[in-house]
Amino acid sequence: MTPKITAFKWSPDGGKGMARDTRVRWALEEVGQPYEVELVSFKQMKQADHRAKHPFGQIPTYEEDGQTLFESGSIILHIAERHAGLLPTDPHARARAITWMFAALSTVEPPIVEREQADFTDPGQPWHSPARFGFLEDRIRVRLKELADYLGDRDWLEGEFTAGDLMMVMVLRRADTWLLAEFPTLAAYVARAEARPAYQRAYAAQAELYSGEPTDSF
Ligand SMILES: N[C@@H](CCC(=O)N[C@@H](CS)C(=O)NCC(=O)O)C(=O)O
């Protein structure tokens, strides 16, 4: 069965590839697995049919052979374990690559998403202030510096490109461009990954969907 993923009917980023279906698309492109896409509106995501696939009413989901998965990390690990190209065969290197996937999602992504969310949640709140944004941005800087120090002059986190790099790059792309630019090692790492043909195809596929006017998806 051709796997089917879900994506936004209309993406709030207008096709910049921040929505988490892009990382799943990229993984599928890296391993050469064709896929189908079901587009869901914000309203549909919160309805029972979609919640049966995703308990939190979000995208992406992944359906294949009667199995449904949610959480981009789990989906990409599932893809990487079943196809060559995203995880090394050596067990130690494989475990390190998976470790980087978790590091991306549980150590690097949270402060980036917290800063991103503050743009929407903070206005009108008593704590809304430049100082708070500075605090949130400094928390991101700590992680970016640590990651840049580790990466050094490596091309990829563990020698060859893996699902760990895929996830880390997608997480770094969510940081503000000006913040990432403070760490040229990381900006170059992201650019190197974005130059991969599989990434280009994944990005183009989602960008094409959102190039017009917003639909009635909200
Ligand atoms: N941890 C989840 C996060 C999923 C997530 O936040 N999805 C967003 C799109 S990128 C979403 O569906 N937002 C709409 C909503 O939460 O109502 C993952 O990695 O898949």
Side-chain angles (χ1 to χ4, degrees):
M1 173 195 168
T2 304
K4 182 168 80 176
I5 67 168
T6 49
F8 283 146
K9 192 168 177 191
W10 177 254
S11 179
D13 77 8
K16 293 196 177 75
M18 301 300 177
R20 289 171 177 84
D21 61 292
T22 306
R23 46 183 82 166
V24 175
R25 292 171 184 269
W26 185 10
L28 289 163
E29 292 287 354
E30 287 285 349
V31 303
Q33 172 63 57
Y35 59 96
E36 293 170 4
V37 183
E38 180 187 345
L39 301 178
V40 287
S41 68
F42 275 71
K43 191 172 165 200
Q44 284 169 321
M45 278 190 292
K46 306 305 173 196
Q47 289 171 350
D49 279 359
H50 187 75
R51 281 196 193 274
K53 298 181 196 171
H54 196 311
F56 305 114
Q58 296 182 312
I59 59 101
T61 59
Y62 180 94
E63 290 168 78
E64 185 182 27
D65 295 335
Q67 183 180 51
T68 303
L69 300 177
F70 57 96
E71 284 297 331
S72 60
S74 165
I75 295 169
I76 292 170
L77 185 55
H78 178 85
I79 294 166
E81 282 183 328
R82 279 156 186 79
H83 301 269
L86 281 172
L87 287 176
T89 47
D90 171 74
H92 288 207
R94 195 177 181 90
R96 288 283 296 181
I98 294 169
T99 297
W100 280 112
M101 291 182 69
F102 279 85
L105 292 173
S106 58
T107 301
V108 182
E109 189 169 54
I112 293 174
V113 170
E114 195 179 353
R115 167 66 188 83
E116 184 185 87
Q117 292 294 311
D119 279 335
F120 308 105
T121 56
D122 273 28
Q125 300 295 340
W127 55 83
H128 185 217
S129 67
R132 171 157 156 83
F133 282 107
F135 168 79
L136 293 173
E137 284 154 12
D138 281 347
R139 286 185 59 224
I140 299 173
R141 283 188 182 95
V142 169
R143 290 298 181 231
L144 297 190
K145 173 157 187 347
E146 290 165 337
L147 183 64
D149 287 349
Y150 174 84
L151 193 61
D153 57 8
R154 294 174 170 92
D155 274 356
W156 308 115
L157 292 165
E158 293 291 330
E160 64 188 280
F161 178 85
T162 72
D165 294 294
L166 186 154
M167 194 60 86
M168 190 63 81
V169 165
M170 290 312 291
V171 163
L172 293 175
R173 287 189 78 253
R174 295 188 82 94
D176 285 319
T177 316
W178 59 267
L179 197 48
L180 195 63
E182 292 180 16
F183 302 86
T185 303
L186 298 183
Y189 170 58
V190 170
R192 200 156 42 244
E194 287 177 341
R196 294 176 71 84
Y199 172 86
Q200 299 276 325
R201 289 193 295 274
Y203 184 90
Q206 61 78 38
E208 186 183 24
L209 289 171
Y210 311 123
S211 58
E213 291 299 307
T215 63
D216 61 346
S217 63
F218 293 93

